[in-house]
Amino acid sequence: MSRPAASLTRSAPAFRKALARWFARHRRPLPWREAPSAYRTVVSELMLQQTQVATVLPYFERWTQRWPGFADLARADEAEVLAAWAGLGYYRRARLLHGLAKAVAALPAPPTTAEGWVELPGVGPYTAAAVSSIAFGHPAAVVDGNVVRVLARLAGHRRTFASTAAAVRVVTPLAAALLDPRRPGDHNQAMMELGALVCRKASPACDRCPVSRWCASRGAAASIPAFAPKPRRSEQVDRALVVDRRRVLLRRHAKDSPRLAGLAELPLLASLRLKAGKLVAVRKRAITTTTYVERLHLVPAAKVRAAARRQPDLEWVSLADLPFAAVSGPHLRWVTELVGKVAGESKG
DNA sequence: AAATCGGGGTT
DNA sequence: AACCCAGATTT
């Protein structure tokens, strides 16, 4: 590297000042910043795990209006909580957040340190540092995807990281050394905001970077950090689309299922003991490293009535109720789009 | 350490 | 089409 990280850590006070000045001017007016509270910080952080800001915004507004505080959420019905999360993805988070609210509501007061927060459901190292620093001024440095990128570039790490976890381990000491202990919440948000707005993955705006004078990657930033490619798989999935008297047959996952917890989706053809039907659509859906090629088969209701009675996780949902039935986002769209086509071909 | 979990925006 | 996002949990 062209500049050792040591010179950066010696410049920590000046670095913090330049970053803070930039953040004060460029910070986005996000709802969890404008009316901050411990609860709103927690909700935003859980929703923002692996999920982009723009995606979270409408969910955050609906959620906090419906459940304004820990106690309100703690009293909520689990099915309602899961339905309110439908479409956000990583559905385990909904149950974890519900459990977190119950745990906090049972305490005399919420934890104030990262060590306290990390004990709660759904809270890992990142979220514990974020909540404790932003809501309570606890001096814990956050290391998310943005911060990894910013710090790897500042330090000039040109090697290929085996995983994001490996990169987090490497840059965490630098994150801690740079943290502004007097205003850790703002400092952490400024680091992430810098990654989101300036030190972007594909097109870093180094000419607008407030800390470029300490950066060892000037001119090569776009290629840092490098990660080993992950193996990717493709898998074919066959599902049944069954419509009967303005109702559609869905399979609902258990509330504690590792995937699609509490949500409903179109049932697998195999689960209905069917080989194939009339192919009505083929969609691709990427889930992490696997691309699922989903084929939707139109199946006459008569062929599945017995199975629907036998299998308790199968349920008929009226088309009018679909938007409120905690149906996985893509499946909700598929059914909505295909129902007209189906109605024409199966007489209703 | 590696695998898994959604959905969508960006490039 | 590939990559990655305010990561955590389980294996």
Side-chain angles (χ1 to χ4, degrees):
Chain A
M1 59 191 86
S2 59
R3 181 193 292 265
S7 73
L8 174 55
T9 57
R10 275 199 301 274
S11 304
F15 176 95
R16 293 165 187 153
K17 188 174 176 181
L19 180 66
R21 184 184 297 269
W22 173 86
F23 184 58
R25 182 172 309 183
H26 297 284
R27 70 199 288 273
R28 290 169 290 179
L30 302 172
W32 44 90
R33 285 178 179 160
E34 298 313 297
S37 72
Y39 173 74
R40 290 165 65 85
T41 303
V42 168
V43 172
S44 69
E45 291 300 343
L46 266 290
M47 288 186 170
L48 286 162
Q49 288 171 7
Q50 292 299 101
T51 307
Q52 298 182 165
V53 169
T55 304
V56 165
L57 286 173
Y59 284 87
F60 180 83
E61 296 289 8
R62 282 197 298 271
W63 190 282
T64 53
Q65 224 166 62
R66 186 166 187 179
W67 301 297
F70 287 111
D72 306 299
L73 182 55
R75 283 191 299 268
D77 181 63
E78 186 166 66
E80 282 185 279
V81 170
L82 295 171
W85 200 275
L88 247 192
Y90 286 104
Y91 297 99
R92 196 183 317 177
R93 293 182 296 175
R95 244 168 47 88
L96 292 168
L97 176 54
H98 195 201
L100 186 157
K102 289 178 179 175
V104 170
L107 294 171
T112 59
T113 66
E115 295 74 16
W117 277 101
V118 82
E119 297 300 322
L120 297 174
V123 179
Y126 162 79
T127 305
V131 171
S132 63
S133 67
I134 295 170
F136 300 98
H138 180 74
V142 300
V143 183
D144 74 330
N146 284 308
V147 175
V148 164
R149 189 170 59 252
V150 170
L151 293 179
R153 287 173 175 173
L154 280 168
H157 290 307
R158 289 169 189 274
R159 68 187 183 88
T160 297
F161 294 101
S163 65
T164 55
V168 167
R169 278 196 300 278
V170 168
V171 305
T172 291
L174 181 54
L178 292 176
L179 179 67
D180 187 340
R182 294 177 307 171
R183 305 169 321 117
D186 280 346
H187 176 94
N188 281 331
Q189 293 185 78
M191 289 290 286
M192 295 188 281
E193 197 81 330
L194 186 66
L197 301 181
V198 174
C199 198
R200 297 168 301 209
K201 179 192 176 300
S203 56
C206 300
D207 55 330
R208 293 194 283 110
C209 180
V211 295
S212 62
R213 83 190 90 148
W214 294 286
C215 186
S217 300
R218 282 167 300 177
S223 61
I224 298 176
F227 293 95
K230 297 181 183 100
R232 293 176 186 282
R233 301 178 290 131
S234 181
E235 215 171 286
Q236 182 170 303
V237 177
D238 292 282
R239 298 184 185 279
L241 179 62
V242 193
V243 179
D244 179 34
R245 291 179 298 178
R246 305 295 296 171
R247 298 174 308 167
V248 63
L249 187 66
L250 298 173
R251 184 171 92 84
R252 188 168 297 282
H253 291 253
K255 287 179 296 187
D256 58 349
S257 165
R259 54 180 291 268
L260 294 179
L263 267 70
E265 63 179 352
L266 294 171
L268 295 176
L269 216 51
S271 75
L272 299 172
R273 301 178 184 285
L274 296 173
K275 291 296 183 188
K278 175 179 166 55
L279 192 62
V280 288
V282 180
R283 306 292 167 89
K284 285 188 179 178
R285 189 149 74 119
I287 298 180
T288 320
T289 59
T290 304
T291 297
Y292 294 92
V293 181
E294 308 226 25
R295 309 199 305 175
L296 307 187
H297 302 257
L298 184 59
V299 174
K303 298 187 77 168
V304 301
R305 286 210 179 87
R309 279 194 299 271
R310 227 171 23 244
Q311 300 182 30
D313 57 345
L314 290 173
E315 61 181 72
W316 292 98
V317 176
S318 82
L319 297 175
D321 289 339
L322 271 181
F324 317 103
V327 178
S328 160
H331 291 265
L332 177 55
R333 278 192 298 281
W334 292 348
V335 173
T336 305
E337 290 170 19
L338 290 170
V339 70
K341 182 175 179 178
V342 169
E345 295 178 15
S346 69
K347 292 171 291 187

